[in-house]
Amino acid sequence: MSLSKYTEKRNFDKTPEPGAKVDKSKGQLSFVVQRHKASHLHYDFRLEMEGVLKSWAVPKGPSLNPKDKRLAMMVEDHPYAYKDFKGIIPEGYGAGIVEIWDKGTYSTIEKAPSSAAAEIKLLAGLAAGNLKFTLHGKKLKGEFALVKLKGRGENQWLLIKHNDEFAIEEYDSEKETLATSPINKWLAENKEPQKKILPNKP
Ligand code: MN
């Protein structure tokens, strides 16, 4: 657990992103999914562990369809407070708009006697490259797995929905986003969203 990479990449005189502080939830562990319009639109999937947020960039967004195996690139740990972050990142690393797409708590699939015990099991799954968990969000619910791809570089994982009562046959995370979201408003006003970098004011 280290936030040194997070700190190295950012200039906190310029970015409104939270500083590198370790903290933790009082009860259940937290998760967040942020939608991020940087040079490319993507989703950032984050799970609280050991006082930081383990983080994956998911280009196509999470899915509730078990057949969608979403590529998830593991990135640097983010501080716990990042779970509440939304806003504009100015020019520099990750420049663009961040909005919170879903958030809630998460747990091991099999009930653990305490959140500390759950965390130990989750950390073991992370280390083994096979992390299974249950999300309790507004949009994302039920069992998921993050599975590390072998022989495909260090950071490539797949985010997969397990087939349970929350599984859906067709799912598009973009359609689950309000037209009034800050990113969608910006996209609607800008004709070349993939080429343009953000203005200073949204
Ligand atoms: Mn991002």
Side-chain angles (χ1 to χ4, degrees):
M1 162 196 61
S2 165
L3 292 169
S4 57
K5 272 193 195 160
Y6 175 84
T7 305
E8 271 169 33
K9 291 183 175 193
R10 290 169 175 80
N11 178 350
F12 293 102
D13 291 335
K14 291 193 175 154
T15 181
E17 293 166 285
K21 187 169 175 281
V22 174
D23 201 353
K24 67 201 293 291
S25 299
K26 292 200 174 69
Q28 292 229 339
L29 295 162
S30 297
F31 87 93
V32 67
V33 182
Q34 278 139 331
R35 187 164 171 257
H36 184 185
K37 171 67 187 81
S39 52
H40 291 89
L41 180 65
H42 62 275
Y43 291 69
D44 290 305
F45 185 85
R46 311 189 198 279
L47 298 173
E48 175 192 355
M49 274 183 229
E50 293 190 305
V52 298
L53 304 178
K54 297 291 169 188
S55 297
W56 291 261
V58 184
K60 288 189 174 175
S63 177
L64 289 175
N65 179 354
K67 286 181 184 154
D68 290 334
K69 294 171 174 43
R70 295 296 200 224
L71 181 66
M73 302 295 296
M74 198 173 196
V75 299
E76 76 275 16
D77 291 352
H78 279 50
Y80 174 76
Y82 214 95
K83 71 185 180 58
D84 300 313
F85 177 73
K86 55 184 175 182
I88 310 280
I89 302 175
E91 232 169 284
Y93 184 73
I97 307 175
V98 175
E99 59 192 22
I100 294 174
W101 185 79
D102 197 19
K103 68 192 294 184
T105 62
Y106 86 104
S107 56
T108 47
I109 289 174
E110 281 148 36
K111 206 171 182 298
S114 66
S115 64
E119 210 167 356
I120 289 168
K121 197 165 182 196
L122 292 161
L123 283 163
L126 183 76
N130 188 352
L131 180 57
K132 294 183 168 72
F133 49 90
T134 302
L135 296 179
H136 313 278
K138 289 205 172 76
K139 295 184 172 97
L140 300 181
K141 296 176 197 289
E143 297 179 16
F144 287 80
L146 269 164
V147 182
K148 192 173 182 181
L149 289 169
K150 293 196 175 85
R152 297 272 301 272
E154 267 304 287
N155 305 320
Q156 296 192 33
W157 296 61
L158 293 175
L159 176 64
I160 305 164
K161 176 81 190 80
H162 281 175
N163 209 344
D164 61 12
E165 75 262 41
F166 299 107
I168 287 175
E169 240 172 67
E170 274 184 37
Y171 191 85
D172 179 354
S173 55
E174 286 294 289
K175 288 185 183 157
E176 304 299 321
T177 307
L178 291 175
T180 53
S181 89
I183 290 175
N184 286 349
K185 276 188 181 168
W186 186 87
L187 291 173
E189 288 161 11
N190 291 272
K191 299 273 185 261
E192 294 176 285
Q194 295 309 317
K195 286 179 190 162
K196 277 184 126 171
I197 302 292
L198 287 170
N200 287 327
K201 287 172 193 160

